[in-house]
Every structure is written in structure tokens, then in C-alpha cells.
Amino acid sequence: MNYRRDLLAQYPELQDPKSHPRFTGIMSFMRAPFTEKLTDLDIAMCGVPYDGGVTNRTGTRLGPRDVRIQSSMMRCYNQATGAAPYEKARIGDIGDAWPVMPFELESAHKEIESFFADIKEAGALPLAVGGDHSMTLPILRALAKDGPVALIQIDAHCDTGGMYQGSEHHHGSSFSAAVNEGLIDPKKSVQIGIRGGTIVPDLWKFSYDHGMRVITIDELYDMGIVAAMDEAKKIVGDTPVYVTFDIDSLDPAFAPGTGTPEIGGITSYEALKMVRSLKDLNIIGADIVEVSPPFDPSGGTALIAATVMFELLCLMADCVDRNKAA
């Protein structure tokens, strides 16, 4: 081992493990250090390998593992925005919030909530990869205990449904539950990219009735991405905001590896542009959900998720830096 250490010492560019060849090493998100010491972190990256809330095609429990692998392709600097997240924040991978009792949805959600409550108590910002979209509800329960937060949701579906086959909680009801529990302010919540058929004509009636801003995919393209995201930022304002990105917001031509694909979605570039436009918001946490590797053995969907994750990491590191300067 001393020979290896001495050899690496001859190459200054390899001193940071994140600069090692991307096919080497034990996989962590972005090749960041693995640690369970939350007090040492400003941003805690983690997986939520849970899909007990899926209503159709399972497989997203495997999402965090594949996104970790693909995230080895990420670099330290964002060429498009100039962001340097590792220079502004202490960042690490803290492992997975995996429920010990995954077959009991309510119990699994309590376990996930407890995991994220520890992150909040330590003063770190969580950046999570799922997992199905039901996981966002327990995360919000942990982060919004002191009062409702704003929400920006990039998704094909509003996920404000109700009871389904005897279950109140599933990946299609996370945000109606979050409103009802006082976790998010519906008038400061924006749902962008909504499309596809529905079982009933007013499936997302809850969103409209409670004042959530729903920007359908048709409206998004009619008004333009810049205008849509400017409106979203105006609605949120300075309110602490949680950002949730469902990979099915993309057209399945780009991201087929998801449980409920809907054609006519955004492109991979548009996804990056939308996330980058959230700069300067007060982000308290974020997630990327619904990556289902069994439906995309190429790994392309997980690569998109990893890239979106890096863009969110850049935004959150800026938040940390601003808060330190304040």
C-alpha cells in the first residue's frame, strides 16, 4: 500500500479521489467520500431504495445503486454554470435510508422520516435518490415539522390523487397528503410538465382546488421554459423550497427506465435548463425519483438522473455558501 501511496504522490492531479479514473473505486454518489458523521457535512447525499408505493411497475428500489454507478461520470466543476460545489460545501454520501420493514408502507415511511430527521437535526441539506415518489412525503415530514415549505415539482403527474385500492398513501398521492398535513404551502407549489391520460377526468382536481400552480407540458412549450421557470421562481419567492424531480418528466425516448412513462415529455437538455434556472432559491432539500433500472439496461436513464443530481448539488452548494456569508 505504501508503494501505491508513494506512486500517487507523484501525480498531484490524482490527490483528490474524485479525480481518479471513473472506472475505479467503490461507488458512492459523485465519488464523494462515504461517511456517517452528519455533523461533518453541509450536504448529505443518500439513496432511498424503496418502491412499496408503486401502483404498477416496480423496480425503483434499484434506482439509487444504478445512479451511484452512473454518477461516477460527474466531474468537480460545472462547465455550463461555473459552479464548483466541492469548493463551497462539505459533501458526502451517507448511504441509504432503507426500511427494515419494507412491506409495511406506513412503517417504511416512518423509518425514512426518521433517517431524514437526523439529517435535518445535524444541519445538513439532504439530496436523495429514489425510490418511488411516495418517499418524498416522509422526507417532507422530517424537513417541514416547523411549518409548510414551498415545492417545485418537475413531473409528468401531479401526484395529488387520493385513495387507491384501499391505500391512502402511494406514489400518486404524496403531495395531496403533504398539503393536508400542512407540510407544503399549496399556493407556493408549482407542478411542471404534467401530461398523459387519466383514469378520471379530474384526477388532479386537488391541485387546482388548493391553488397549486399546474403547468402542463403543452403550456410549458407554449409559454417557453424560461418564462415558465421565471413564474415558478416568482411564486416560490424567498420561501424555503423543496425540489422534487421525477425522471418520468422526461420523454421516454430519453428516459425509458421508469415505472410510469408518458410520451411527449421534456428532453434531457431541457431538464438541465429547468434545474439550472432554480439558481438563487432557498433550497432546503431535493430528490430525484422513479428511476427504474430494469426498464433501461443501458443505464441511460440513471445517467440522466445522476446529471440532474449534480445540477441540484451545484444549486444546493450555492445555498450553503450564501447562508455561510449571511
Side-chain angles (χ1 to χ4, degrees):
M1 294 300 291
N2 288 339
Y3 169 78
R4 175 180 173 80
R5 183 191 62 199
D6 294 343
L7 183 62
L8 287 173
Q10 299 177 34
Y11 299 91
E13 70 276 13
L14 294 180
Q15 297 311 301
D16 186 343
K18 292 188 292 298
S19 66
H20 290 182
R22 283 166 280 168
F23 52 84
T24 66
I26 298 172
M27 288 298 108
S28 66
F29 285 122
M30 313 290 168
R31 291 182 292 168
F34 174 79
T35 180
E36 293 181 330
K37 294 181 179 179
L38 291 171
T39 54
D40 293 342
L41 298 177
D42 298 309
I43 300 174
M45 299 185 289
C46 58
V48 186
Y50 177 74
D51 57 11
V54 169
T55 56
N56 186 21
R57 305 195 303 179
T58 58
T60 58
R61 71 186 67 179
L62 303 173
R65 180 174 295 179
D66 270 39
V67 174
R68 273 192 176 92
I69 293 171
Q70 295 299 332
S71 74
S72 68
M73 298 294 290
M74 301 303 106
R75 279 82 165 181
C76 297
Y77 300 95
N78 190 320
Q79 183 174 216
T81 66
Y86 301 101
E87 295 179 4
K88 295 183 176 181
R90 299 171 300 166
I91 301 166
D93 184 336
I94 62 169
D96 287 342
W98 60 276
V100 175
M101 298 176 64
F103 306 114
E104 297 284 347
L105 185 143
E106 298 285 352
S107 175
H109 279 192
K110 287 180 181 178
E111 293 183 65
I112 294 169
E113 178 184 351
S114 178
F115 185 93
F116 284 86
D118 288 344
I119 297 174
K120 177 178 170 60
E121 184 178 356
L125 302 180
L127 176 53
V129 176
D132 74 63
H133 222 160
S134 76
M135 70 179 234
T136 306
L137 178 60
I139 296 175
L140 288 170
R141 286 171 176 163
L143 300 186
K145 284 185 179 297
D146 301 327
V149 300
L151 178 77
I152 288 185
Q153 174 187 353
I154 301 174
D155 203 330
H157 315 97
C158 288
D159 295 346
T160 49
M163 188 75 70
Y164 182 76
Q165 291 188 297
S167 181
E168 180 182 358
H169 298 299
H170 48 84
H171 69 164
S173 66
S174 298
F175 302 110
S176 50
V179 170
N180 288 334
E181 294 181 23
L183 305 175
I184 59 174
D185 182 346
K187 291 183 171 55
K188 288 187 176 292
S189 297
V190 189
Q191 301 174 307
I192 310 168
I194 310 305
R195 63 187 190 279
T198 59
I199 299 173
V200 294
D202 58 352
L203 180 62
W204 309 130
K205 184 175 185 294
F206 184 99
S207 291
Y208 294 98
D209 286 352
H210 287 78
M212 303 173 86
R213 176 63 169 107
V214 179
I215 301 177
T216 66
I217 195 69
D218 296 300
E219 186 177 5
L220 176 65
Y221 280 116
D222 287 345
M223 69 190 301
I225 286 176
V226 173
M229 300 313 292
D230 283 347
E231 181 180 345
K233 292 178 70 174
K234 184 177 181 180
I235 289 171
V236 169
D238 296 329
T239 305
V241 59
Y242 189 85
V243 180
T244 183
F245 188 101
D246 192 323
I247 204 70
D248 70 23
S249 60
L250 280 88
D251 191 281
F254 298 90
T258 190
T260 314
E262 302 282 0
I263 70 163
I266 60 176
T267 68
S268 53
Y269 172 71
E270 289 165 343
L272 300 183
K273 189 175 180 67
M274 291 168 74
V275 173
R276 288 170 184 163
S277 71
L278 302 179
K279 181 177 173 60
D280 299 326
L281 290 181
N282 182 15
I283 299 172
I284 61 165
D287 63 43
I288 305 95
V289 300
E290 298 288 351
V291 176
S292 189
F295 297 104
D296 185 5
S298 75
T301 303
L303 176 60
I304 292 174
T307 309
V308 169
M309 185 184 188
F310 178 68
E311 296 291 342
L312 288 168
L313 181 68
C314 293
L315 297 180
M316 294 169 70
D318 282 343
C319 288
V320 170
D321 192 48
R322 289 198 304 272
N323 291 336
K324 286 179 179 178

